[in-house]
Amino acid sequence: RQARDLTETMLDSDGATDRIPLKSTLETQIDEIRGTYDAAILTVEGEIPSCSVVADGMLSSVFRNVLANGIQHNDSSVPRLRVWAEADESQVTVHIADNGPGVPDDRKSEIFGRGEKGLESSGTGLGLYLVDTLMERYGGDIYVTDSDEGAEFVITLPRAAR
């Protein structure tokens, strides 16, 4: 799925963006992840803003990859993810925090490189590279920081004009 998404992204030469509804896109991916990883606990804190962002149909892949990463690279007996979002006039910020081992400071920017994966990872190393590539296309940003219990991914997207 990641390879297909990456190929689709790279072959889309015009890189056109559109108004994409944040709430339904994020909630759909949360529901998919809950169905796929039934042993994990995924909670949404507060209300996800009902607004549109500048993105394309691949925005779902951004959320799916970050959510799945928080579970797949989690060494806790019960992986937990917390999701919350806030919006202002110009942007929307989505936070996805986990209770895993975190990301060492010297790897925080490297993990978004093509083919980068953790030492114990069975993944392709394409997921976060795809996410980073899409965020550039959207004029947004993604970075990882420390959370109370593990890692926190912060995704910032431009808010679509009303």
Side-chain angles (χ1 to χ4, degrees):
R1 193 176 202 181
Q2 288 174 338
R4 183 190 69 230
D5 288 351
L6 183 60
T7 300
E8 192 175 307
T9 298
M10 295 306 171
L11 293 176
D12 182 9
S13 58
D14 70 358
T17 57
D18 202 354
R19 293 174 50 92
I20 303 297
L22 174 74
K23 184 175 179 136
S24 62
T25 303
L26 181 54
E27 286 177 344
T28 297
Q29 293 311 306
I30 288 170
D31 289 344
E32 273 192 32
I33 292 296
R34 282 180 175 145
T36 303
Y37 301 97
D38 54 352
I41 298 171
L42 202 162
T43 57
V44 176
E45 298 179 354
E47 197 60 34
I48 297 171
S50 295
C51 61
S52 294
V53 295
V54 176
D56 59 22
M58 296 296 291
L59 180 60
S60 58
S61 187
V62 169
F63 296 137
R64 180 175 51 252
N65 275 294
V66 176
L67 289 164
N69 236 25
I71 296 170
Q72 293 168 351
H73 300 286
N74 195 314
D75 59 0
S76 299
S77 57
V78 178
R80 286 191 318 273
L81 295 180
R82 295 180 301 120
V83 178
W84 69 98
E86 64 256 353
D88 63 25
E89 291 301 312
S90 63
Q91 68 183 20
V92 175
T93 305
V94 176
H95 303 263
I96 300 172
D98 64 49
N99 67 328
V103 178
D105 288 343
D106 62 337
R107 300 258 316 136
K108 282 187 167 78
S109 61
E110 286 178 12
I111 63 172
F112 297 102
R114 186 173 66 185
E116 288 295 323
K117 56 185 184 175
L119 297 175
E120 308 289 321
S121 176
S122 61
T124 61
L126 295 177
L128 292 179
Y129 175 69
L130 170 65
V131 167
D132 190 55
T133 301
L134 288 167
M135 295 309 297
E136 277 186 36
R137 175 182 290 180
Y138 303 156
D141 189 29
I142 183 168
Y143 65 90
V144 63
T145 187
D146 298 328
S147 73
D148 294 342
E149 300 178 289
E152 178 182 331
F153 284 79
V154 182
I155 301 165
T156 305
L157 293 156
R159 191 164 174 170
R162 298 176 204 251

